[in-house]
Amino acid sequence: MGIAEEIKQITANLPEGVKLIAVSKFHPVEAVMEAYDAGQRLFGENKVQEMTAKHEALPTDIQWHFIGHLQTNKVKYIAPFVAMIHSIDSLHLLIEVNRQAEKAGRIIDCLLQLHIAHEDTKFGMTFDECRAFLQDRAWKQLKHVRICGLMGMGTNTDDMEQVDREFASLQSFFQELKDSWFKDEPAFKELSMGMTDDYPIAIRHGSTFIRIGTQIFGERNYNK
Ligand SMILES: *Cc1c(COP(=O)(O)O)cnc(C)c1O
């Protein structure tokens, strides 16, 4: 199937309230344009330079979601246009996003990234680190960022029961925060989880943003 057909097939079966982010990292602007022409508007990238270059080359009504590890010294390049940053994993980073958002005259939507996978390689806070982050209350002073929910990545494994448990744990942690810190925050409603190999499981556990690359664009070529 081509890019347009994959997008149509995925979106046709999405429950109400679940949004598709087409993860275009490592794929050229032509591929993004093909998806755009099929009606796709939300795209995900994990490198600042690549996202900035694509933003400049492509239609302005694309919503760019930053989903990779973000270094504080690079926040300034994406702050003027990024639609949402999914990968907030420290107060330090959130403070810098707030600072750059203020400079750009914006409020930037952010998700807190939680480490739910049983792998060392995935970024994010543990549940306890996140509780401590919220307890500290410093985030409450930041008026140019809006915490809209949580993001997590499941373990890259064939053991789908493990992935199921990981997504279930993030879903219940989301509920815990919703019932405590974010009770009066209607903006806190997003749960970004699920990729090509596990998104149906993520949807069963309340995902509102699925991030799909390979199924739409094919395998990535990391040698380019
Ligand atoms: C690359 C990436 C994806 C997309 O993964 P696929 O398996 O290609 O669908 C989703 N989320 C994040 C954070 C990624 O880095």
Side-chain angles (χ1 to χ4, degrees):
M1 269 197 281
I3 290 172
E5 287 76 21
E6 292 289 359
I7 287 173
K8 286 206 183 78
Q9 209 222 313
I10 296 166
T11 51
N13 295 311
L14 287 186
E16 175 95 23
V18 183
K19 301 161 290 278
L20 169 65
I21 297 174
V23 177
S24 48
K25 64 189 188 194
F26 291 90
H27 293 285
V29 294
E30 292 76 20
V32 179
M33 247 351 262
E34 239 181 284
Y36 181 90
D37 288 336
Q40 182 65 27
R41 291 297 180 271
L42 278 57
F43 289 87
E45 290 284 338
N46 69 342
K47 296 260 181 344
V48 165
Q49 208 184 349
E50 187 173 351
M51 188 165 93
T52 306
K54 282 177 178 160
H55 167 252
E56 280 166 16
L58 286 155
T60 53
D61 62 339
I62 288 179
Q63 296 173 36
W64 292 102
H65 288 249
F66 193 83
I67 61 172
H69 181 62
L70 182 55
Q71 289 171 283
T72 48
N73 62 338
K74 294 192 175 163
V75 173
K76 58 177 176 282
Y77 300 113
I78 62 170
F81 69 90
V82 67
M84 183 177 274
I85 297 173
H86 291 229
S87 45
I88 300 297
D89 58 1
S90 71
L91 178 60
H92 180 62
L93 177 59
L94 192 65
I95 287 172
E96 179 60 12
V97 173
N98 184 71
R99 202 168 76 89
Q100 296 299 337
E102 182 168 16
K103 270 195 190 173
R106 305 185 61 207
I107 294 172
I108 296 181
D109 287 344
C110 294
L111 304 179
L112 304 177
Q113 183 173 357
L114 276 299
H115 181 108
I116 55 170
H118 288 81
E119 289 174 79
D120 298 336
T121 52
K122 304 251 158 100
F123 294 99
M125 298 184 257
T126 64
F127 292 159
D128 276 342
E129 284 165 353
C130 188
R131 288 184 187 105
F133 162 89
L134 294 167
Q135 214 85 50
D136 179 44
R137 289 172 176 272
W139 59 278
K140 285 215 164 214
Q141 312 304 319
L142 307 174
K143 300 302 178 200
H144 290 266
V145 288
R146 187 187 293 124
I147 297 178
C148 298
L150 308 179
M151 182 272 227
M153 291 171 84
T155 302
N156 185 8
T157 172
D158 292 335
D159 182 355
M160 287 302 155
E161 284 175 20
Q162 181 177 339
V163 175
D164 194 283
R165 284 192 297 274
E166 292 167 356
F167 287 162
S169 75
L170 190 59
Q171 181 181 31
S172 68
F173 189 64
F174 174 86
Q175 201 55 49
E176 174 189 322
L177 299 192
K178 181 88 199 145
D179 293 341
S180 51
W181 292 103
F182 297 98
K183 222 184 315 193
D184 304 315
E185 304 280 351
F188 190 87
K189 61 181 169 55
E190 307 292 357
L191 194 46
S192 170
M193 58 183 190
M195 306 168 35
T196 293
D197 289 335
D198 56 23
Y199 75 86
I201 303 173
I203 290 172
R204 283 205 296 279
H205 288 292
S207 175
T208 64
F209 280 119
I210 53 170
R211 311 177 308 265
I212 302 189
T214 308
Q215 186 176 335
I216 295 170
F217 296 108
E219 295 293 331
R220 289 178 284 274
N221 179 359
Y222 293 104
N223 302 316
K224 273 190 298 192

